Amino acid sequence: MADKNNLPTTVFANPAPLGLLGFGMTTVLLACHNLGLFPMDVTIIALGVFYGGLAQLLAGIMEFKKGNTFSATAFVSYGFFWLAFVLITLDDSLAADQTASGLFFYLWGIFTLFFFVATLRSEISLKIIFGTLTALFFVIAASQFVESAALPILSGVIGLLCGGMAMYRAFGEVLNEQYQREVHPL
């Protein structure tokens, strides 16, 4: 491929599906834990580091190269969120203070609310992803401040919706590109 001056140009693949799948699959797995289906274990931790963390970081860096500020900032930020979450979860010697942990999730809720506002002129799937993620962070924050058996379950339900929609969008972006038309509405 060449530009108008016959100079070679490079075409990059869309990194968003990678980032969305890294986020979505990790969120779904953690949501299943929050629903009480299984305890926190190395499976969640490993996916959090490698797919939730590192895959999103890579996708975000590739989005920077494409000049997509929204996706670059979101993927890099949430990639680092997953790495921080794993560190907090793993290090028993530095047990997280519940107030600090609640504030951690509350700040991520504020961050995500800002991104939700930025999606208001986007496809419905992005609105759902960021809207449910905003709610998810605030529910998890509340569960750190208030003793409630219902809040972790609510966070599991919201997490399934959020992560599932991220996966749906990723699949749609790949399928639509492969078929070169919309076969999977976003």
Side-chain angles (χ1 to χ4, degrees), residues 18-177:
L18 172 64
L20 287 164
L21 285 169
F23 168 77
M25 290 174 59
T26 308
T27 300
V28 166
L29 190 62
L30 183 61
C32 290
H33 158 72
N34 289 345
L35 286 169
L37 300 178
F38 44 78
M40 178 66 73
D41 75 355
V42 70
T43 308
I44 299 168
I45 299 302
L47 200 63
V49 169
F50 293 103
Y51 212 35
L54 297 179
Q56 282 194 93
L57 287 173
L58 290 172
I61 291 166
M62 290 185 276
E63 288 286 5
F64 272 114
K65 179 75 174 161
K66 288 178 61 180
N68 188 339
T69 303
F70 178 90
S71 291
T73 306
F75 287 137
V76 169
S77 296
Y78 293 118
F80 279 120
F81 162 81
W82 279 109
L83 294 174
F85 176 80
V86 164
L87 181 63
I88 290 167
T89 304
L90 270 183
D91 196 345
D92 290 336
S93 67
L94 297 172
D97 176 81
Q98 277 200 274
T99 302
S101 185
L103 186 56
F104 172 80
F105 288 108
Y106 180 75
L107 290 170
W108 278 104
I110 292 170
F111 175 86
T112 304
L113 179 61
F114 169 79
F115 274 83
F116 171 69
V117 170
T119 68
L120 294 178
R121 296 185 68 189
S122 299
E123 296 93 350
I124 188 71
S125 58
L126 272 181
K127 292 176 196 169
I128 293 170
I129 292 166
F130 282 90
T132 55
L133 185 56
T134 301
L136 179 60
F137 278 127
F138 287 133
V139 168
I140 294 172
S143 75
Q144 299 299 305
F145 295 121
V146 178
E147 191 71 32
S148 167
L151 287 175
I153 293 169
L154 179 59
S155 75
V157 171
I158 296 169
L160 284 177
L161 292 171
C162 180
M165 183 54 71
M167 292 169 63
Y168 171 91
R169 182 171 178 98
F171 297 148
E173 288 192 23
V174 170
L175 289 172
N176 292 346
E177 182 180 313

